[in-house]
């Protein structure tokens, strides 16, 4: 026989490529055959080859305990001094109580139009130096007295500073400005300064960032703000409903006015939420609602990054229409800083001048103005733990740049003159708030009865009652974490972490009802889903969506934890027990769960049973939610904002990777400081957005790739999850399969930045209305959502198999 000739390099390459293609086709056919056999109910004959880390393989071999899934990212939990102890040390005397009452009454009268002055919230962007703050207050007292006939001047005394990602977060969080986070000392310092400012005779206004710190300082405040990053947050709206002072809600950072109007509606209603008592014990706060909620216009930022002001007459008319349409009396405060000044402190007088002009022309919707001002102009950098504090310039901001006090006076003069001019135009005499003389005398008389007799005049005015909350540890003992539960949770978390890190090429699927309102239906759904999870486990990491809390646009049923009987009775202890029990039952059957976290206390009851968590579109910008995520043991996804802003979700991922310290409770139900390690298992969730009344989608191939690239540029894993519902489906559940089809196409094209999808699904399609206390609960259809509309389970199965097949077709 003739000797076989050797193939040339070119021929070898062709043969190798042909063999490689043949191997790939063989793999694809084998995987498709496996899926087909699963559909027919047979055992699969082959498995999808996937990348698995050695660490995961080792993890699967060891036994799993509670310590492996609970408080994994908690560095330590330290006690917080109970509010009552600090209030007893730093007592509000009758003179201060009278001063606070008078200030609140005046703000309220201005908002209602019974007092024709403007109130002006003026002061440093944030307080970092108590000595400088007192000096500023002394100067402001002179101005307040001079302009009192036309202006009610309130000192801006901000102790907490929300950050875009990380940085110094204010005097309460880090009073030594060095990253030591001595929050107990910060709370004491904050209250002491508020007492001093009130004693000087100056009213104080603050921003509220969490539901616990107000118990230490709120009785000394005449006006409060909910910032642009938290106006959409349900827990902050609930908090505002219980604050004894008038509260302003800022429009969103994108410029969205509607969320501030919605917040005012919500804040005026009664709510129940988790906080602590004056004794520092976990509690349920039931509020009566705050009718002094109003809108703050602070400008916004376009998707392109351009600043857009909203203090012009047209913007004022727009917010008037929105507030009237919502049944609210138009009442607006204009922030001269932030986006309205294009983040340039020197532009604040320009904004103030335009406001003065509109007031001069007769505008009565503008009730107040905010000005960022300090002893000296500008700002200086502060990196906690790095900056030599001795080098900081006295009286100059360490956060946003401020105008100096000298430049502040002409702005106050101009605003006062505008009020006088408006009176002349309208031919009216000065209108002042009703006298509180009789009530003030009663405060002095009752102060001899004890500390509580004084605080009753300025504290918990809008609180109906505070009821006890079962400590988390008691519930843990009733419904313990077994090894079986821990194994389900641990393995699912590990799978998701591997997908995020690129060590597992499966797709994570968060699928289930929009919200859980019926545990029986939830368990029936779970059994169906568990079967599909087992069938598709080689291609999909299926997690059941088990949402117990439901953020509302304004008001409505807020979920199983908040109102388990669906009737407005707010039996939160029962709701927490039901929620933990359902999560335990799911884990026992081998089905991992995913939830949305809305507050910093309920995770102490549930988080150890959760395999994946979400921070919703309304809270992604909220600092306390980012801090919470840094502590959670599970992987967490941040949704883009309701406006479609994806940057806030990327910023949130960056922030939550870092260690933080925040107020929460211990397992024993005591107020505490939680110090975290940071969470590196986070990702972005694309859920579309809304502009005006128009929905727009962001699951297309171009957008997904842009977000993946931006995440990588920010030092994050470029992994994105797509929410097939919400704005991506134009709020129509029937459109979810269309979104699924587009995702499948991207998967088939090899888009490895897509790590998961979210699907709103129930036993039966659609939704039904539920009005707590009005709807006959017995008339509700079984297995149909009472919040957002969902796909039925049969349609859901088709989507799951389509996603699995698309992964099979990925070459």
């Amino acid at each position: 026989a003739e000797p076989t000739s050797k193939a040339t390099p070119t021929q070898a390459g062709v043969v190798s490529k042909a063999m490689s293609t043949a191997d790939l086709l063989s793999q694809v056919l084998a995987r498709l055959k496996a899926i087909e056999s699963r559909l027919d109910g047979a055992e699969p004959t082959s498995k999808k080859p996937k990348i698995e880390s050695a660490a995961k393989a080792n993890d699967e071999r060891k036994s799993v305990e509670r310590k492996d899934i609970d408080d994994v990212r908690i560095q330590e939990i330290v006690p917080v001094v109970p509010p009552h102890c600090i209030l007893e040390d730093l007592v509000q005397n009758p003179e201060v109580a009278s001063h606070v009452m008078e200030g609140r009454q005046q703000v309220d009268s201005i908002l209602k139009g019974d007092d024709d002055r403007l109130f002006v919230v003026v002061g440093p962007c944030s307080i970092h130096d108590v000595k400088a703050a007192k000096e500023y207050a002394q100067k402001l007292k002179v101005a307040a007295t001079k302009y009192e006939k036309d202006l009610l001047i309130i000192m801006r005394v901000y102790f907490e500073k929300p950050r875009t990602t990380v940085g110094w977060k204010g005097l309460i969080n880090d009073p030594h400005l060095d990253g030591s986070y001595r929050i107990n000392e910060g709370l004491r310092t904050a209250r002491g300064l508020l007492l001093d400012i009130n004693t000087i005779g100056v009213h104080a206004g603050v921003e509220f960032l969490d539901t616990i710190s107000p118990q230490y300082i709120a009785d000394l405040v005449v006006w409060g703000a909910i910032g642009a990053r938290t106006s959409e947050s349900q827990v902050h709206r609930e908090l505002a409903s219980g604050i004894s002072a008038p509260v302003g809600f800022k429009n969103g950072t994108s410029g969205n006015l509607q969320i501030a109007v919605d917040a005012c509606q919500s804040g005026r209603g009664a709510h129940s939420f988790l906080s602590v008592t004056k004794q520092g014990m976990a509690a349920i706060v039931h509020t009566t609602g705050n009718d002094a909620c109003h809108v703050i216009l602070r400008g916004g930022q376009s998707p392109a990054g351009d600043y857009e002001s909203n203090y012009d007459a047209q913007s004022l008319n727009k917010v008037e229409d929105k507030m009237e349409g919502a049944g609210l009396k138009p009442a607006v405060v204009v922030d001269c800083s932030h986006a309205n000044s294009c983040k340039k402190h020197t532009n604040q007088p320009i904004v103030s001048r335009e406001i003065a002009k509109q007031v001069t022309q007769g505008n009565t919707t503008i009730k107040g103005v905010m000005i960022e001002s300090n002893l000296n102009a500008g700002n200086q950098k502060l990196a906690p733990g790095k900056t030599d504090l001795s080098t900081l310039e006295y009286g100059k901001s360490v956060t946003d740049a401020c105008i100096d006090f000298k430049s502040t006076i002409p702005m106050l003069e101009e605003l006062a003159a505008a009020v006088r001019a408006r009176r002349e135009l309208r031919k009216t005499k000065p209108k002042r708030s009703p006298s509180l003389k009789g009530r003030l005398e009663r405060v002095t008389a009752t102060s001899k009865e004890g500390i509580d007799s004084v605080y009753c005049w300025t504290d918990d005015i809008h609180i109906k009652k505070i009821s006890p909350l079962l400590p988390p540890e008691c519930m843990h003992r009733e419904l313990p974490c077994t090894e079986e539960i821990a194994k389900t949770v641990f393995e699912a978390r590990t799978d998701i972490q591997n997908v995020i890190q690129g060590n597992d090429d499966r797709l994570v699927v968060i699928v289930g009802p929009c919200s859980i309102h019926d545990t029986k239906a939830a368990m029936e759904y779970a059994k169906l889903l568990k079967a599909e999870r087992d069938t598709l486990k080689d291609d999909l990491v299926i997690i059941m969506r088990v949402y117990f809390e439901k953020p509302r646009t304004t008001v409505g049923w807020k979920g199983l934890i908040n109102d388990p009987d669906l009737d407005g009775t707010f039996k939160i202890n029962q709701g927490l027990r039901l929620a933990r029990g359902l999560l335990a039952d799911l884990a026992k059957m081998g089905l991992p769960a995913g939830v949305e976290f809305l507050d910093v206390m309920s995770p102490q009851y549930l988080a150890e049973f959760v395999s994946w968590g979400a921070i919703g579109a309304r809270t992604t910008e909220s600092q306390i939610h980012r801090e919470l995520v840094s502590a959670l043991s599970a992987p967490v996804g941040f949704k883009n904002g309701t406006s479609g802003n994806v940057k806030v979700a990327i910023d949130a991922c960056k922030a939550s990777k870092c260690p933080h310290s925040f107020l929460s409770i211990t397992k024993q139900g005591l107020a505490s400081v939680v110090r975290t390690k940071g969470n590196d298992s986070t990702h972005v969730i694309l859920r579309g957005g809304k502009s005006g009344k128009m929905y727009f989608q962001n699951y297309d191939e171009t957008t997904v790739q842009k977000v993946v690239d931006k995440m990588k540029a920010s030092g994050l894993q470029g992994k994105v999850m797509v929410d097939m519902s919400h704005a991506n489906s134009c709020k129509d559940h029937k459109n979810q399969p269309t979104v699924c089809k587009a995702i499948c196409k991207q998967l088939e094209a090899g888009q490895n930045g897509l790590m998961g999808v979210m699907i709103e699904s129930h036993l039966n399609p659609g939704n039904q209305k539920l009005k707590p206390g009005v709807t006959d609960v017995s008339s509700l259809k079984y297995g149909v959502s009472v919040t957002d509309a969902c796909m039925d389970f049969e349609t859901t199965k088709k989507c799951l198999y389509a996603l699995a097949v698309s992964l099979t077709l990925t070459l």
Side-chain angles (χ1 to χ4, degrees), residues 43-292:
E43 287 295 319
T45 55
S46 68
K47 291 186 175 182
K48 171 187 172 184
K50 58 178 181 288
I51 308 165
E52 291 186 294
S53 66
K56 181 189 171 187
N58 290 333
D59 285 336
E60 289 179 338
R61 284 195 292 269
K62 73 175 186 179
S63 62
V64 183
E65 302 173 8
R66 179 180 174 182
K67 65 180 178 62
D68 296 311
I69 62 171
D70 192 29
D71 290 347
V72 175
R73 295 189 171 99
I74 302 297
Q75 183 178 337
E76 64 175 338
I77 297 178
V78 298
V80 170
V81 178
H84 195 279
C85 293
I86 291 183
L87 267 62
E88 200 169 49
D89 288 345
L90 299 166
V91 181
Q92 178 198 90
N93 60 40
E95 290 74 25
V96 169
S98 300
H99 182 66
V100 172
M101 289 170 62
E102 186 177 27
R104 289 179 183 171
Q105 175 71 22
Q106 291 178 55
V107 175
D108 191 60
S109 293
I110 291 171
L111 290 169
K112 291 176 179 177
D114 297 331
D115 186 328
D116 69 349
R117 295 177 296 169
L118 291 175
F119 68 86
V120 181
V121 182
V122 55
C125 172
S126 59
I127 301 295
H128 74 278
D129 181 345
V130 171
K131 181 183 176 182
K134 290 180 184 178
E135 182 179 337
Y136 186 96
Q138 293 281 4
K139 290 177 177 289
L140 193 63
K141 170 60 178 172
V142 177
T145 302
K146 180 179 179 180
Y147 299 113
E148 65 181 351
K149 291 183 180 179
D150 307 306
L151 305 175
L152 171 62
I153 293 178
I154 301 166
M155 182 169 166
R156 176 187 170 113
V157 192
Y158 278 29
F159 296 117
E160 299 180 279
K161 187 65 185 173
R163 313 303 307 196
T164 302
T165 51
V166 292
W168 184 69
K169 291 187 289 185
L171 198 72
I172 288 179
N173 195 274
D174 188 14
H176 289 279
L177 289 71
D178 60 359
S180 56
Y181 306 113
R182 300 179 187 176
I183 292 179
N184 276 310
E185 189 175 333
L187 289 165
R188 189 178 296 275
T189 301
R191 182 170 180 83
L193 178 59
L194 286 174
L195 274 174
D196 290 340
I197 290 172
N198 276 280
T199 302
I200 289 169
V202 174
H203 297 300
V206 307
E207 178 178 359
F208 294 109
L209 283 189
D210 67 86
T211 60
I212 295 176
S213 62
Q215 287 285 44
Y216 295 83
I217 62 174
D219 62 296
L220 298 172
V221 172
V222 304
W223 178 87
I226 301 297
R229 294 177 174 87
T230 46
S231 275
E232 274 191 283
S233 168
Q234 182 158 287
V235 70
H236 289 84
R237 296 175 176 187
E238 293 167 341
L239 170 65
S241 76
I243 294 293
S244 301
V247 174
F249 288 93
K250 287 194 174 184
N251 62 253
T253 53
S254 66
N256 189 327
L257 295 174
Q258 189 61 50
I259 63 172
V261 176
D262 291 343
C264 289
Q265 283 186 282
S266 179
R268 291 180 178 224
H271 295 277
S272 295
F273 63 93
L274 301 182
S275 183
V276 298
T277 65
K278 287 293 191 291
Q279 289 71 38
M281 295 292 296
I284 304 167
V285 179
H286 304 273
T287 75
T288 59
N290 188 342
D291 63 359

Side-chain angles (χ1 to χ4, degrees), residues 48 117 131 214 355 485 516 582 601 618 651 660 802 807:
K48 171 187 172 184
R117 295 177 296 169
K131 181 183 176 182
I355 297 309
I485 291 173
I516 301 296
L582 178 59
M601 287 175 58
R618 294 177 173 90
D651 289 342
H660 293 277
L807 285 169

Side-chain angles (χ1 to χ4, degrees), residues 445-575:
T446 57
S447 65
K448 298 176 182 179
E449 299 174 14
I451 185 173
D452 293 334
S453 300
V454 178
Y455 291 123
C456 73
W457 296 100
T458 61
D459 199 27
D460 292 346
I461 305 300
H462 296 136
I463 302 300
K464 182 164 52 178
K465 66 175 180 176
I466 297 178
S467 54
L469 185 65
L470 188 70
E473 187 62 31
C474 293
M475 203 169 289
H476 290 186
R477 291 181 181 276
E478 288 180 31
L479 299 164
C481 178
T482 64
E483 184 176 345
E484 183 183 23
I485 291 173
K487 187 173 186 296
T488 296
V489 173
F490 183 84
E491 289 182 352
R493 285 181 185 173
T494 303
D495 286 342
I496 297 169
Q497 287 166 353
N498 282 330
V499 171
I500 292 174
Q501 293 165 5
N503 297 323
D504 188 327
D505 66 357
R506 289 178 292 174
L507 192 74
V508 177
V509 181
I510 314 296
V511 54
C514 172
S515 59
I516 301 296
H517 74 276
D518 179 350
T519 54
K520 180 182 176 183
M523 285 303 295
E524 182 178 337
Y525 182 95
K527 290 172 184 176
L528 295 173
L529 188 63
K530 176 62 166 64
E532 304 310 322
R533 172 180 163 82
D534 292 343
T535 298
L536 300 173
K537 63 183 179 182
D538 294 322
D539 301 295
L540 307 178
V541 179
I542 294 178
I543 311 291
M544 181 169 165
R545 175 188 170 116
V546 190
Y547 278 28
F548 297 116
E549 298 181 278
K550 187 64 184 174
R552 313 305 306 194
T553 302
T554 52
V555 293
W557 184 69
K558 292 187 289 184
L560 196 73
I561 288 177
N562 196 272
D563 187 13
D565 290 335
L566 288 69
D567 59 0
T569 52
F570 307 112
K571 298 176 183 176
I572 293 179
N573 279 308
Q574 180 181 326

Side-chain angles (χ1 to χ4, degrees), residues 626-639:
R626 296 175 177 188
E627 292 168 341
L628 170 66
V629 170
S630 75
L632 292 174
S633 303
V636 177
F638 285 97
K639 287 195 175 184

